[in-house]
Amino acid sequence: MSNLDRAPVPSVCGGRGFVVAEPVRELLSPRHVKLGESTEVRRLLPNLGRRMIGAWAFVDHYGPDDIADEPGMQVPPHPHMGLQTVSWLHDGEVLHRDSTGSLATIRPRELGLMTSGRAISHSEESPRPHARFLHGAQLWVALPDAHRHTEPSFEHHPDLPQVTAPGLTATVILGSVDGATSPGTAYTPIVGADLALAHGADVRLPLEPDFEYGVLSMSGEVHVDGVPVLPGSMLYLGCGRRELPLRAESEASLMLLGGEPFEEELIMWWNFVGRTQAEIEQAREDWMNGTRFGEVHGYDGAPLAAPELPATPLKPRGRVR
Ligand code: MN
């Protein structure tokens, strides 16, 4: 992580609290995490020094992986609590099953949005047969206290609104961009957008000054506010911006993630977002006992066992470490 701008100064910005009021350029390097035996993902959030961007609390970027002769993604049934999951693909497809009875195949630039509320379980797998390449991002959005006990639900939105400018096509995943609004249900002021840039594009994307933002590079060579951001890296931008300069040296794609700074302190452990150690312990116990999180039908394999809780108590933390 390096802050290429001036030292960030905490001050009031936006509706609800403290955030870096000045625009910053803070490059976040990915942590390489093994998922299962063959898959490696690049984890951008939580990151050293930065845990959230708006309500975005978890970002994994994976691929492009050649899975022509491989099973591809195989994530057995596992639980979630207190969050929404966003599945976003550039290549391939993901077959989603969950305990509310959903069965959906998510394809590139379609939104798979699962709201866990108090409890849900799901599995994700590459269908058979599947496309040769798998490339995408898996993201979590923390639910605010007022909505985190809601009923679980799943939304599949194959047609999302787009905003275009010369050399840019922005697909709105959550929230709004330049007046175009996603049909996905959001519980906090938030935005997620896929930005497809043509080679040579030199554009300015309108932003909401009260939001903080980060940009994940998915592919290509692109400068974000003058900073080269390599695929699999993220640039944190702070807030106080009305527009974002983007320049593409090749065909390139980005994910824009932003929102009103999330002021509640959270405990994130395994697949759960809670507020107290007791809640997390209870969720783990309920999953291992087969209660509360329902059942996923049709997945060929056993559910995931929860890991052991750490010996040291889990502490609620805010958006910055
Ligand atoms: Mn999951």
Side-chain angles (χ1 to χ4, degrees), residues 46-300:
N47 202 299
L48 202 65
R50 188 153 302 283
R51 304 183 81 238
M52 301 179 77
I53 297 174
W56 298 99
F58 182 94
V59 178
D60 271 355
H61 175 232
Y62 55 88
D65 292 323
D66 185 342
I67 59 166
D69 302 316
E70 294 181 33
M73 182 183 287
Q74 298 295 327
V75 185
H78 59 278
H80 285 292
M81 167 180 90
L83 55 82
Q84 293 176 291
T85 65
V86 171
S87 302
W88 192 251
L89 289 170
H90 277 188
D91 291 296
E93 55 281 291
V94 170
L95 180 61
H96 166 97
R97 306 171 194 270
D98 70 42
S99 54
T100 71
S102 310
L103 177 64
T105 302
I106 312 299
R107 295 192 166 80
R109 294 187 168 83
E110 299 180 354
L111 172 61
L113 177 64
M114 186 178 80
T115 301
S116 76
R118 57 185 297 275
I120 200 167
S121 56
H122 74 145
S123 64
E124 295 154 292
E125 62 196 291
S126 297
R128 275 164 259 173
H130 53 247
R132 177 169 184 179
F133 289 100
L134 181 62
H135 181 204
Q138 178 70 25
L139 310 97
W140 297 356
V141 177
L143 289 170
D145 195 46
H147 295 286
R148 68 193 183 99
H149 303 291
T150 190
E151 289 300 308
S153 62
F154 179 75
E155 300 168 41
H156 180 197
H157 299 290
D159 292 307
L160 295 170
Q162 293 189 323
V163 178
T164 58
L168 169 71
T169 301
T171 304
V172 189
I173 301 168
L174 273 184
S176 301
V177 175
D178 204 19
T181 301
S182 164
T185 305
Y187 294 89
T188 50
I190 193 169
V191 68
D194 182 279
L195 310 176
L197 294 153
H199 182 195
D202 191 353
V203 293
R204 287 172 178 270
L205 186 76
L207 298 183
E208 167 62 53
D210 283 351
F211 281 12
E212 59 177 343
Y213 289 94
V215 168
L216 166 68
S217 172
M218 298 280 283
S219 62
E221 290 177 49
V222 63
H223 285 71
V224 179
D225 195 17
V227 180
V229 185
L230 296 173
S233 296
M234 183 181 266
L235 187 69
Y236 177 71
L237 295 158
C239 70
R241 294 172 182 269
R242 294 189 180 276
E243 57 179 23
L244 184 63
L246 302 169
R247 190 160 51 81
E249 314 285 335
S250 71
E251 198 172 283
S253 56
L254 303 167
M255 283 187 85
L256 176 77
L257 305 173
E260 193 173 284
F262 196 89
E263 293 305 323
E264 296 171 32
E265 296 206 322
L266 307 176
I267 295 180
M268 274 178 58
W269 179 80
W270 194 39
N271 294 311
F272 305 133
V273 174
R275 300 298 186 276
T276 65
Q277 167 108 8
E279 270 177 33
I280 299 287
E281 284 172 0
Q282 188 64 54
R284 184 187 182 280
E285 197 178 312
D286 289 347
W287 172 246
M288 295 306 280
N289 291 338
T291 56
R292 177 154 56 132
F293 291 95
E295 210 175 322
V296 179
H297 296 285
Y299 184 83
D300 185 13

